[in-house]
Amino acid sequence: MGDFILAGDIGATSCTIALVNDRGEFIAREHGPGTNVRSTLILHGFEHIVTSTLSKMLKHYCMKSGLSQREVLDRISQAHFAVAGAEGPVYPRVEEALNNALRHYRVNFRLTLINEILPAFSANAAQASTGILAMAGTGAITCAIDGDEIVHRHDGLGWILGDRGSGTWTGLKIMRACAADLDGLGPRTTLTELLLESVGIEVDDIDTLPRPANTVLAELVDKVSTLKPAAWNKFAPLHDRAIEAGDTVATEILTDAVDQFVRAIESCRTALLNRGIRGEYLLVWAGGVAQNSPALRAAVNHEVTRRDTDLWLVPTLTQEPIIGVARHALG
């Protein structure tokens, strides 16, 4: 009988695949690149990421344990994967791609596929099952959760329609602010120098450039126009650096993001109150931007925790998402 669970967390910028025993202990894990399943209808890249990361994990564990790959695979009783954006019309395509990836290993265990929301919340250190999730990573979503049920949600609409406050959204705001500065149609901003440095464009003195700075703008267009939306996320850390420098444009971007999350969290709090949920519950922050942007968390936390309601929120950071996937699989 199988006594291992194969757990997978596939995000837009990174993934983790792990082996978990029946006591919930991680006995092997491997990290790999991510993929944004919403950005393409062709999921061959997705399949490759799963198979390559899984193969590396199996290789390392087999060397450590002395078991053969076949012996390890035969001890897996189920696979439980959380994939960012795996819902709605995208779900069957992701499910098919995952099955194709696992078929490569000639396995017969059961596959369960869910999106990233419940595992992200389940990864909280207190192992609470009810509260609010504020996810700010490559995408952004805010949800009220009661047990295993998502009772209310906002955003998670993808980079075209939403994901406000996410790394993708912030990266796009930064690029546009920089372009407006260089074009002479927007205010000067510290973000311009930070972005140009980040993409490898050298400028001797940003303040003496003519506006419009057509040569530099042409270089910037060339550098960023081929980037996939998920890659805009890498510019998000520049935002906090500009805030620390007192940049007005960066502060306006922060204010916009804070407003989005505060309104979504308050809407989720109302939904829980309407279900008769009272008392103290967690506000769980998840995602790379949430982890690495203290300015965003602090501003939102200040607004939502100072409000006097019958449902009090205690902000906390989530642990690794793969922990939530394993907890969700073990039930």
Tab-separated table of all heavy atoms in Angstrom, residues 116-144:
chain	number	residue	atom	x	y	z
A	116	GLU	N	-4.765	27.658	-6.127
A	116	GLU	CA	-3.817	27.949	-5.054
A	116	GLU	C	-4.439	28.512	-3.789
A	116	GLU	O	-3.749	28.661	-2.756
A	116	GLU	CB	-2.771	28.939	-5.568
A	116	GLU	CG	-3.249	30.379	-5.737
A	116	GLU	CD	-3.918	30.701	-7.060
A	116	GLU	OE1	-4.622	29.817	-7.607
A	116	GLU	OE2	-3.742	31.828	-7.535
A	117	ILE	N	-5.738	28.817	-3.782
A	117	ILE	CA	-6.318	29.605	-2.701
A	117	ILE	C	-6.322	28.874	-1.361
A	117	ILE	O	-5.767	29.354	-0.361
A	117	ILE	CB	-7.738	30.054	-3.075
A	117	ILE	CG1	-7.691	30.991	-4.281
A	117	ILE	CG2	-8.416	30.741	-1.898
A	117	ILE	CD1	-9.053	31.336	-4.851
A	118	LEU	N	-6.970	27.727	-1.280
A	118	LEU	CA	-7.080	27.021	-0.007
A	118	LEU	C	-5.722	26.577	0.540
A	118	LEU	O	-5.464	26.738	1.743
A	118	LEU	CB	-8.038	25.838	-0.131
A	118	LEU	CG	-9.516	26.208	-0.310
A	118	LEU	CD1	-10.358	24.964	-0.553
A	118	LEU	CD2	-10.038	26.966	0.913
A	119	PRO	N	-4.828	26.020	-0.280
A	119	PRO	CA	-3.503	25.672	0.253
A	119	PRO	C	-2.728	26.876	0.777
A	119	PRO	O	-2.026	26.773	1.784
A	119	PRO	CB	-2.794	25.041	-0.950
A	119	PRO	CG	-3.878	24.520	-1.796
A	119	PRO	CD	-4.994	25.511	-1.654
A	120	ALA	N	-2.857	28.022	0.104
A	120	ALA	CA	-2.153	29.215	0.574
A	120	ALA	C	-2.633	29.601	1.965
A	120	ALA	O	-1.836	29.969	2.836
A	120	ALA	CB	-2.370	30.372	-0.399
A	121	PHE	N	-3.939	29.518	2.204
A	121	PHE	CA	-4.460	29.821	3.531
A	121	PHE	C	-4.082	28.731	4.532
A	121	PHE	O	-3.720	29.023	5.678
A	121	PHE	CB	-5.982	29.988	3.490
A	121	PHE	CG	-6.572	30.424	4.800
A	121	PHE	CD1	-6.613	31.775	5.133
A	121	PHE	CD2	-7.067	29.500	5.716
A	121	PHE	CE1	-7.129	32.188	6.360
A	121	PHE	CE2	-7.595	29.908	6.936
A	121	PHE	CZ	-7.619	31.261	7.254
A	122	SER	N	-4.144	27.473	4.102
A	122	SER	CA	-3.854	26.348	4.998
A	122	SER	C	-2.419	26.333	5.484
A	122	SER	O	-2.104	25.675	6.482
A	122	SER	CB	-4.154	25.012	4.295
A	122	SER	OG	-5.514	24.907	3.963
A	123	ALA	N	-1.539	27.056	4.791
A	123	ALA	CA	-0.125	27.084	5.177
A	123	ALA	C	0.138	27.988	6.370
A	123	ALA	O	1.282	28.124	6.805
A	123	ALA	CB	0.734	27.533	3.998
A	124	ASN	N	-0.902	28.635	6.931
A	124	ASN	CA	-0.675	29.498	8.096
A	124	ASN	C	-0.166	28.661	9.273
A	124	ASN	O	-0.576	27.515	9.476
A	124	ASN	CB	-1.941	30.278	8.451
A	124	ASN	CG	-3.040	29.409	9.039
A	124	ASN	OD1	-3.048	29.084	10.227
A	124	ASN	ND2	-4.005	29.034	8.188
A	125	ALA	N	0.732	29.259	10.058
A	125	ALA	CA	1.412	28.537	11.130
A	125	ALA	C	0.458	28.041	12.211
A	125	ALA	O	0.700	27.022	12.850
A	125	ALA	CB	2.487	29.426	11.747
A	126	ALA	N	-0.648	28.772	12.421
A	126	ALA	CA	-1.610	28.385	13.449
A	126	ALA	C	-2.530	27.248	13.002
A	126	ALA	O	-3.306	26.730	13.807
A	126	ALA	CB	-2.454	29.593	13.850
A	127	GLN	N	-2.449	26.891	11.724
A	127	GLN	CA	-3.312	25.864	11.130
A	127	GLN	C	-4.794	26.198	11.306
A	127	GLN	O	-5.641	25.320	11.464
A	127	GLN	CB	-2.999	24.476	11.700
A	127	GLN	CG	-1.556	24.039	11.435
A	127	GLN	CD	-1.309	22.589	11.796
A	127	GLN	OE1	-2.136	21.717	11.570
A	127	GLN	NE2	-0.138	22.339	12.363
A	128	ALA	N	-5.087	27.494	11.269
A	128	ALA	CA	-6.478	27.941	11.345
A	128	ALA	C	-7.206	27.583	10.062
A	128	ALA	O	-6.606	27.550	8.980
A	128	ALA	CB	-6.519	29.449	11.564
A	129	SER	N	-8.502	27.335	10.172
A	129	SER	CA	-9.282	26.942	9.003
A	129	SER	C	-10.268	28.018	8.552
A	129	SER	O	-10.899	27.870	7.510
A	129	SER	CB	-10.046	25.648	9.287
A	129	SER	OG	-10.938	25.834	10.378
A	130	THR	N	-10.400	29.072	9.340
A	130	THR	CA	-11.338	30.152	9.013
A	130	THR	C	-10.629	31.493	9.151
A	130	THR	O	-9.872	31.708	10.099
A	130	THR	CB	-12.567	30.120	9.928
A	130	THR	OG1	-13.270	28.892	9.726
A	130	THR	CG2	-13.508	31.278	9.639
A	131	GLY	N	-10.869	32.377	8.196
A	131	GLY	CA	-10.258	33.699	8.227
A	131	GLY	C	-10.261	34.309	6.848
A	131	GLY	O	-11.094	33.956	5.997
A	132	ILE	N	-9.325	35.213	6.617
A	132	ILE	CA	-9.246	35.915	5.337
A	132	ILE	C	-7.853	35.750	4.752
A	132	ILE	O	-6.846	35.875	5.459
A	132	ILE	CB	-9.580	37.407	5.519
A	132	ILE	CG1	-11.041	37.571	5.957
A	132	ILE	CG2	-9.339	38.195	4.225
A	132	ILE	CD1	-11.432	38.996	6.299
A	133	LEU	N	-7.804	35.452	3.478
A	133	LEU	CA	-6.546	35.336	2.749
A	133	LEU	C	-6.356	36.573	1.882
A	133	LEU	O	-7.240	36.940	1.112
A	133	LEU	CB	-6.551	34.089	1.852
A	133	LEU	CG	-5.357	33.951	0.888
A	133	LEU	CD1	-4.082	33.628	1.664
A	133	LEU	CD2	-5.632	32.881	-0.167
A	134	ALA	N	-5.206	37.220	2.023
A	134	ALA	CA	-4.817	38.314	1.127
A	134	ALA	C	-3.564	37.849	0.393
A	134	ALA	O	-2.490	37.761	0.983
A	134	ALA	CB	-4.535	39.591	1.920
A	135	MET	N	-3.722	37.527	-0.873
A	135	MET	CA	-2.616	37.006	-1.663
A	135	MET	C	-2.121	38.072	-2.623
A	135	MET	O	-2.878	38.588	-3.445
A	135	MET	CB	-3.042	35.764	-2.445
A	135	MET	CG	-1.911	35.146	-3.260
A	135	MET	SD	-2.447	33.668	-4.163
A	135	MET	CE	-2.646	32.527	-2.796
A	136	ALA	N	-0.836	38.394	-2.496
A	136	ALA	CA	-0.197	39.330	-3.409
A	136	ALA	C	1.097	38.700	-3.888
A	136	ALA	O	2.116	38.739	-3.195
A	136	ALA	CB	0.080	40.662	-2.704
A	137	GLY	N	1.028	38.098	-5.047
A	137	GLY	CA	2.197	37.493	-5.663
A	137	GLY	C	2.282	37.977	-7.085
A	137	GLY	O	2.131	39.163	-7.359
A	138	THR	N	2.490	37.068	-8.022
A	138	THR	CA	2.417	37.437	-9.424
A	138	THR	C	1.014	37.941	-9.745
A	138	THR	O	0.827	38.881	-10.512
A	138	THR	CB	2.771	36.235	-10.317
A	138	THR	OG1	4.060	35.761	-9.946
A	138	THR	CG2	2.789	36.635	-11.785
A	139	GLY	N	0.002	37.308	-9.132
A	139	GLY	CA	-1.377	37.778	-9.202
A	139	GLY	C	-1.829	38.247	-7.835
A	139	GLY	O	-1.040	38.278	-6.882
A	140	ALA	N	-3.086	38.605	-7.714
A	140	ALA	CA	-3.616	39.071	-6.427
A	140	ALA	C	-5.055	38.617	-6.273
A	140	ALA	O	-5.840	38.663	-7.229
A	140	ALA	CB	-3.533	40.590	-6.320
A	141	ILE	N	-5.378	38.170	-5.065
A	141	ILE	CA	-6.741	37.737	-4.776
A	141	ILE	C	-6.979	37.858	-3.278
A	141	ILE	O	-6.047	37.706	-2.480
A	141	ILE	CB	-6.976	36.284	-5.251
A	141	ILE	CG1	-8.453	35.914	-5.179
A	141	ILE	CG2	-6.122	35.295	-4.461
A	141	ILE	CD1	-8.781	34.626	-5.907
A	142	THR	N	-8.193	38.164	-2.892
A	142	THR	CA	-8.560	38.250	-1.484
A	142	THR	C	-9.812	37.407	-1.268
A	142	THR	O	-10.774	37.527	-2.031
A	142	THR	CB	-8.845	39.712	-1.080
A	142	THR	OG1	-7.718	40.525	-1.423
A	142	THR	CG2	-9.094	39.821	0.418
A	143	CYS	N	-9.785	36.539	-0.255
A	143	CYS	CA	-10.884	35.596	-0.045
A	143	CYS	C	-11.242	35.470	1.420
A	143	CYS	O	-10.375	35.530	2.296
A	143	CYS	CB	-10.490	34.198	-0.540
A	143	CYS	SG	-10.148	34.089	-2.286
A	144	ALA	N	-12.523	35.263	1.674
A	144	ALA	CA	-12.996	34.852	2.987
A	144	ALA	C	-13.148	33.337	2.956
A	144	ALA	O	-13.760	32.780	2.042
A	144	ALA	CB	-14.334	35.512	3.301
